[in-house]
Amino acid sequence: MNLGFIGAGKLAHALAKGFIAAGLTKGNLLTVSCAPEDTLSAETFKQLGATINYDNKEIIKKSEVTIIAVKPDVIPQVLTDIKDVVTKKNLLLSVAMGVTIKQLEQGLPGNSRVIRVMPNTPALVREGATVYVSGTHATEQDCDLTKQLFGSVGICERVNEYILDPVTALSGSGPAFIYTVIEALSDGAVRMGMARDLAYKLAAQTVVGAGKMVLNTQTHPGVLKDNVTSPAGSTCEGLHHLEENGVRSAFIKAIEGATKKCRETAKKQ
């Protein structure tokens, strides 16, 4: 599959490596644009075998599917750049936070096939969490292709657009929250005498294992928590400290705050 990327940041790179690892494309089939001064991003894609082109129009012309992976405030300029060359043959997938289907379609020709996608960076290791919203003129085949692409690097679900802001807060920003959890758990273990490298490894694997338990058993997280918690045991003591320090409330507020930030961003577009 000939894939184009408009934008060459960390998310774009994670997706490209994930798609290559899944066997859906090859490095030499990627065409990527970025700002001329962004030499570091260009170099990371060159290492995959990709062709770098600083003209967004050329990305559209050379790609079956183009992933628009720029910051929200850059979207208007990108749409202006490409609107004269986009045809019915082009499928455009936007991963820009807070930029709606309506906003994308208004900046493009009337029959443009657009899908809004919200992935996350664990796609790099094929453990991503992605949702997508179909545009007015996108076909079911387009949706199937989107699910094939992003399903190859994790889970991929179709949703209604109104839910994308909390999705962005949960799975888009969520990895950063979980990295903080891993770091904090490791700090606690180091404080109790464990070597740092082992602490990181055990904390990270614990998060991976707990997540897979929820997904694979389809058991409520509260039940799984109770299964680990013996009366008057160490887990019960640890949970007491978490509740006492408002950890549950902090995570709820983190999702709420991130969602509101997404909504603010959307209003500015």
Side-chain angles (χ1 to χ4, degrees), residues 9-23:
K10 293 179 180 178
L11 178 58
H13 187 248
L15 291 172
K17 289 194 72 173
F19 296 152
I20 292 170

Side-chain angles (χ1 to χ4, degrees), residues 40-255:
L40 181 59
S41 294
E43 186 58 34
T44 60
F45 269 95
K46 285 179 181 178
Q47 291 172 3
L48 297 178
T51 299
I52 305 299
N53 193 310
Y54 300 105
D55 186 345
N56 291 333
K57 290 182 179 180
E58 292 302 312
I59 306 301
I60 298 294
K61 292 177 183 178
K62 295 179 179 180
S63 306
E64 301 170 47
V65 179
T66 300
I67 297 174
I68 302 175
V70 297
K71 293 181 179 179
D73 61 327
V74 182
I75 286 288
Q77 182 59 55
V78 168
L79 298 182
T80 298
D81 289 345
I82 67 176
K83 66 181 180 181
D84 292 336
V85 294
V86 171
T87 71
K88 290 189 292 185
K89 295 180 180 180
N90 298 115
L91 175 59
L92 306 179
L93 308 180
S94 171
V95 300
M97 178 191 77
V99 181
T100 66
I101 290 288
K102 182 179 180 181
Q103 290 166 332
L104 293 166
E105 291 180 340
Q106 284 178 338
L108 293 167
N111 58 358
S112 298
R113 294 155 55 209
V114 175
I115 292 180
R116 185 179 171 194
V117 186
M118 180 47 60
N120 63 6
T121 53
L124 176 64
V125 292
R126 299 181 67 184
E127 291 290 351
T130 301
V131 300
Y132 69 95
V133 178
S134 173
T136 307
H137 303 286
T139 66
E140 283 304 310
Q141 288 79 9
D142 294 335
C143 293
D144 290 343
L145 177 56
T146 300
K147 190 157 188 174
Q148 180 188 9
L149 272 171
F150 289 90
S152 73
V153 292
I155 64 171
C156 184
E157 300 288 341
R158 188 174 185 173
V159 299
N160 293 317
E161 190 168 28
Y162 76 88
I163 207 71
L164 275 193
D165 289 330
V167 165
T168 303
L170 178 59
S171 56
S173 302
F177 305 155
I178 297 303
Y179 298 144
T180 301
V181 169
I182 291 171
E183 186 178 37
L185 290 172
S186 301
D187 286 345
V190 170
R191 186 171 184 229
M192 293 295 101
M194 188 180 295
R196 174 68 66 180
D197 288 349
L198 179 59
Y200 280 146
K201 185 179 293 186
L202 291 179
Q205 183 58 39
T206 298
V207 169
V208 171
K212 286 190 174 181
M213 283 287 287
V214 173
L215 290 173
N216 294 349
T217 67
Q218 297 187 16
T219 303
H220 191 285
V223 174
L224 294 174
K225 177 205 70 176
D226 289 348
N227 290 343
V228 183
T229 309
S230 302
S234 60
T235 303
C236 191
E237 183 67 20
L239 288 170
H240 170 70
H241 284 282
L242 291 177
E243 294 291 353
E244 193 173 45
N245 287 279
V247 169
R248 189 188 298 263
S249 176
F251 277 116
I252 292 170
K253 289 179 179 178
I255 299 299

